[in-house]
Amino acid sequence: METENSIGAAVTAFSDQIPTNFALSSIFDTPFGGEKWSLGFMDLLGVQDFTPSMFDLLQQPSMPSPPPIVSVGEYSSDILNLPATPNSSSISSSSTEAANDEQSKAVEEEEQEKTKNQLKSNKKNKKRQKEPRFAFMTKSEVDHLEDGYRWRKYGQKAVKNSPFPRSYYRCTTATCGVKKRVERSSDDPTIVVTTYEGQHTHPSPVMPRGISTGISPDSSSYAAAFAMAPMQLTQPHHDFQEQQQPYFHNLLPPSLNYNSSVSLAPTFVPERRFFTSATSFIRDHGLLQDIVPSDMRSA
DNA sequence: CGAATTTGACCAGCGC
DNA sequence: GCGCTGGTCAAATTCG
């Protein structure tokens, strides 16, 4: 079945053929509800050159998700929830209350006579709204990658057709409703799929310099860079709808390179593009040096 | 002892 | 309406 475990299939498809080390964030126009989602790959063992053959690979019809990008808008990783059963292409709604939930929760806490009935009614009255999501895959042995923000785990669930559970995290900052889900690909256990949901309403408590405090330039550090992508993606002043760009011209989400005229060269250094154009505060503080080992920067 | 995690229960949404 | 699944809650437990 085509839709079963598409993430895993995608991982397999990529990991089997992708050269050596890579960093990639791509926009797909998914066949599942027509939603856009962003898919990022990182090989944490070291980022090296990135060849055009990679792009040819992406365009192959065998890809689980048709690569042609139509437009860039809301990012969703709902694809991650695709059911395994055939004929059931829909997925559970993204239970994203985020900020609203946070506020209602505060109100609830003031009402110390919170009962189950109250909870029920509150939940029923909640309007489920889809938050922008950003999903990426990371090749890492560590499930929960350090990304510069502090997270509190609030749940873990077994995932259907996967031996690996899915963990749910919420940003520990009181006013911030950002959530993320972390799970391993069932097809490739070395791949960690992280889905960010919502946008931080605060600067990173660890970044920009903190990432270098005791954190070695390993998967954790790289995750930090990717983790910031969704925050920028959701900045309201970016009108993604007007930024329809050719798919492979847009390896990074538009907000990450929207003002850069990057064209595909025979080879380029993806991590350089990513870190320099994606996160201005990183660039401004020279965090690249903290994140990317010198040997990799010169790759 | 406070913070973070674990884990079973509960709820919502969806397909049949 | 029922069952399944994903997502969340919150008490219990563990950790620092």
Side-chain angles (χ1 to χ4, degrees):
Chain A
M1 55 200 75
E2 309 75 39
T3 61
E4 177 175 1
N5 225 333
S6 295
I7 286 291
V11 171
T12 302
F14 279 90
S15 60
D16 286 350
Q17 302 170 68
I18 286 174
T20 52
N21 308 305
F22 58 91
L24 168 64
S25 181
S26 305
I27 313 301
F28 291 84
D29 187 17
T30 82
F32 317 111
E35 295 190 76
K36 284 73 184 176
W37 57 295
S38 178
L39 177 65
F41 287 91
M42 287 193 298
D43 187 330
L44 303 167
L45 301 178
V47 181
Q48 296 179 355
D49 283 353
F50 204 63
T51 65
S53 60
M54 175 69 199
F55 313 135
D56 296 334
L57 166 68
L58 287 167
Q59 289 179 304
Q60 290 176 2
S62 60
M63 283 302 299
S65 298
I69 183 172
V70 175
S71 65
V72 179
E74 183 174 352
Y75 288 71
S76 173
S77 65
D78 281 345
I79 190 173
L80 295 175
N81 294 330
L82 285 172
T85 53
N87 303 328
S88 58
S89 59
S90 67
I91 44 87
S92 67
S93 67
S94 58
S95 56
T96 63
E97 297 87 7
N100 289 340
D101 186 36
E102 203 66 31
Q103 294 173 355
S104 63
K105 231 171 62 179
V107 173
E108 285 179 27
E109 288 173 357
E110 291 178 5
E111 306 168 356
Q112 293 188 349
E113 295 180 355
K114 180 174 60 181
T115 65
K116 279 194 173 182
N117 287 337
Q118 283 176 315
L119 267 176
K120 283 182 182 177
S121 60
N122 274 342
K123 284 182 178 179
K124 283 181 180 178
N125 290 334
K126 283 176 185 172
K127 291 181 180 178
R128 300 209 165 217
Q129 236 176 353
K130 288 198 172 185
E131 291 278 344
R133 289 184 176 181
F134 181 91
F136 67 86
M137 303 181 207
T138 306
K139 198 164 189 173
S140 171
E141 295 180 0
V142 182
D143 281 349
H144 189 201
L145 305 173
E146 178 61 48
D147 58 13
Y149 289 88
R150 292 179 58 83
W151 302 91
R152 181 190 180 98
K153 188 175 185 177
Y154 66 89
Q156 177 172 304
K157 287 284 289 187
V159 181
K160 189 183 176 185
N161 290 336
S162 173
F164 308 103
R166 175 184 298 152
S167 297
Y168 299 88
Y169 298 88
R170 219 193 305 266
C171 183
T172 57
T173 301
T175 59
C176 183
V178 175
K179 302 171 190 174
K180 76 172 179 180
R181 302 183 306 196
V182 177
E183 63 185 292
R184 286 196 174 273
S185 166
S186 59
D187 285 359
D188 187 347
T190 66
I191 298 288
V192 176
V193 180
T194 305
T195 305
Y196 289 89
E197 184 178 304
Q199 78 181 93
H200 290 284
T201 59
H202 59 95
S204 165
V206 180
M207 300 291 282
R209 306 303 299 181
I211 198 167
S212 62
T213 59
I215 301 177
S216 60
D218 56 6
S219 58
S220 300
S221 301
Y222 294 110
F226 256 107
M228 281 179 275
M231 318 319 156
Q232 296 235 336
L233 285 172
T234 54
Q235 294 303 312
H237 60 277
H238 292 153
D239 189 351
F240 300 122
Q241 302 297 339
E242 295 179 357
Q243 298 186 16
Q244 302 183 8
Q245 300 177 10
Y247 176 71
F248 291 116
H249 180 77
N250 196 28
L251 276 173
L252 297 174
S255 66
L256 304 185
N257 61 358
Y258 64 97
N259 59 353
S260 64
S261 57
V262 178
S263 59
L264 293 180
T267 61
F268 66 91
V269 186
E271 85 280 13
R272 181 178 183 84
R273 273 185 58 205
F274 180 84
F275 289 115
T276 53
S277 62
T279 54
S280 59
F281 54 98
I282 290 181
R283 175 189 56 220
D284 291 341
H285 291 79
L287 192 62
L288 180 62
Q289 283 73 12
D290 291 342
I291 299 175
V292 184
S294 57
D295 58 331
M296 291 177 55
R297 290 201 305 272
S298 59

